[in-house]
Amino acid sequence: VTDSPQPDIGSQGIAIAPSRSEDGYTRLLVNSHQPLTGPVAWYEARVKTDEGWDMAGSTFPGAPVILHGHGPTLGWASTVNKPDLVDVYELSINPNNEDQYLLDGEWRDFEVTVATIDVTFWGPIRWTFSEPIYHSEHGPVFKTEKGAYAIRWAGMHEMRTLEQMLAMNKARTISDFELALAMLASPSINYVYADKDGNIAHYYNAMMPKRPEGEGFSSVNWAGLIPGDRADLIWQEYYPFERLPQTVNPPSGYVYNANNTPYRSSVGDGQPNPQDYPAAMGIQTNMTNRALRIEALFGCDQSISAEDLRYYKYDNRYAEGSVTEQVINALLAISFEANSQMSAGQKLLEEWDLSTDSENTMAALGVITSTPFVMADMRNQAKPDLTEAYQNALQLLTKHFGRIDPQWGEVNRLVRGDKSWPLSGAPDVLRAVYSELDEETGQLKATAGDSYIMFVEWSPNGDLSSQSIHNFGSATLDDTSAHYADQAPIFAAENERTLPLDMATLMADKISEKRIGKKQSFGN
């Protein structure tokens, strides 16, 4: 449990069935939002073996499988979900023996192991520190000044996550894919699925603790501190795959997720009913701005083309009812001194349509003012002071740009090495951009959000095509490589490149080759 801000990551996935597409195609958007650099930044990979592993998509450094993308017959997008997967138990410690805790009226001994850490102070001077590690029936125990607490979480003894991901990589049908998910070896992640047969689905995948229900348990607050002296509150099982929320082939012909509740994963029939899931499961009920915009854009379009999907994906507007709209409305309701800069800013924001195009001259003030509130909402933090946030935005723009209405692309930048490009987009819009402030220039440097994007489609006869783009390029660390930033201007311009899928094209495009072990045959 931590009070530290969480990473600015999100994601969205959208699948369109033939019945909802303009031309009978099945379409899939893979669009995770991750840091642009670092250990969880995407890089693109293409894997093809003689043993049936055939995937294109993105993964993290060190991950030996494709984390989301597509094979020849199916694909999926991954998005973060946030079910309640962690329980904290408050323990009662024996006043006469600090190594015992109360459980079902009896004092139990903690299981105690010792952790040793070697620390080097200077040169050859080293010291070994030892600390006791406590475990109760619930799980690991933390002894603090405020008391002793045990932690129990989903997947605490699970070792098969990689096995499940490999099974997903090798799946060829929706049955294969669901069989892989039914392993329940991945603590939590959403999957938005599509395949060449026209199947689409949203799976709220998680290892959901089967917490006790019924008489005697109604007073337990599973979202708060749980009494640690009752063994019947220590859950032992998980709900099976078929009991998890999922939307498979709904009549609407489309599914989506943008880190929002699984109860709104499409429109109309076929979505999970909240009444079918116990409150103790802790299934999230939130909506994000991105989810609201997806519903607004896709919900009214009965014939979605490939161009429509691209246009909607790059939508950069805040929705009606979003945190940003609420902030701007609240700001416009404040009375400021006439002819002041704060009054002038209000007049500017009265005309803002909540879009964040790079050419927009109102977005800079609107986004910089509202972003602290958007991030506080995403992180479950206290809201900042509105007037202070507004004043900070006015001062920042005036100091560095000499006016309060610069084009958003002057402020919002994609930076790679010594090169920089203007960006549309902002926090929690479908063209997601999360940034850090350059104190010298006043510009916002994109650090997370839209990163690896993939559009996948299967024609009515099963033909596959794929387009993708990376925020920088395939050389994620080598700044001397031609591919260190070659995709950045394409990414900033909101375009993609066609991904070569057959082995002959891949081998023709290669610029280097490394072989491990004995010589292999790379036939298509």
Side-chain angles (χ1 to χ4, degrees), residues 392-403 406 410-411 437-443:
N392 290 341
L394 290 168
Q395 292 171 4
L396 174 70
L397 294 174
T398 302
K399 175 181 178 181
H400 292 285
F401 301 94
R403 58 193 191 279
E410 293 182 55
V411 182
L437 175 66
D438 185 323
E439 298 285 355
E440 293 186 4
T441 67
Q443 291 181 326

Side-chain angles (χ1 to χ4, degrees), residues 483-524:
H483 302 289
Y484 183 67
D486 60 334
Q487 295 186 48
I490 307 172
F491 175 88
E494 300 181 356
N495 292 312
E496 308 83 36
R497 77 210 203 288
T498 299
L499 184 65
L501 298 176
D502 65 279
M503 190 58 67
T505 305
L506 282 168
M507 297 304 286
D509 286 351
K510 74 177 186 293
I511 60 172
S512 65
E513 181 175 311
K514 293 183 180 179
R515 297 177 181 270
I516 300 175
K518 64 181 180 179
K519 185 174 181 180
Q520 301 284 329
S521 171
F522 291 92
N524 181 27

Side-chain angles (χ1 to χ4, degrees), residues 261-303:
T261 177
Y263 302 137
R264 290 171 68 172
S265 52
S266 184
V267 293
D269 296 337
Q271 302 178 81
N273 185 342
Q275 296 179 353
D276 294 336
Y277 301 90
M281 290 182 77
I283 296 171
Q284 66 197 87
T285 59
N286 69 300
M287 289 293 285
T288 60
N289 175 75
R290 291 167 289 116
L292 294 172
R293 286 300 292 165
I294 290 172
E295 288 189 349
L297 294 166
F298 286 82
C300 298
D301 191 341
Q302 300 299 315
S303 181

Side-chain angles (χ1 to χ4, degrees), residues 112-124:
V112 184
T113 57
V114 177
T116 57
I117 303 174
D118 290 331
V119 178
T120 299
F121 290 98
W122 180 78

Side-chain angles (χ1 to χ4, degrees), residues 89-103 106-110 134-136 138 141-144 146-150 228-229:
Y89 297 83
E90 187 171 23
L91 304 181
S92 298
I93 303 299
N94 187 344
N96 299 315
N97 185 348
E98 64 178 12
D99 288 337
Q100 290 184 330
Y101 64 100
L102 187 65
L103 189 65
E106 297 181 358
W107 295 114
R108 303 282 188 94
D109 292 331
F110 285 117
Y134 299 93
H135 280 78
S136 67
H138 317 76
V141 174
F142 295 87
K143 290 186 175 183
T144 73
K146 296 182 179 181
Y149 304 92
D229 58 354

Side-chain angles (χ1 to χ4, degrees), residues 85 179 193 232 258 394 448 450 516:
L85 302 179
L179 190 62
Y193 169 96
D232 60 351
L394 290 168
D450 260 6
I516 300 175

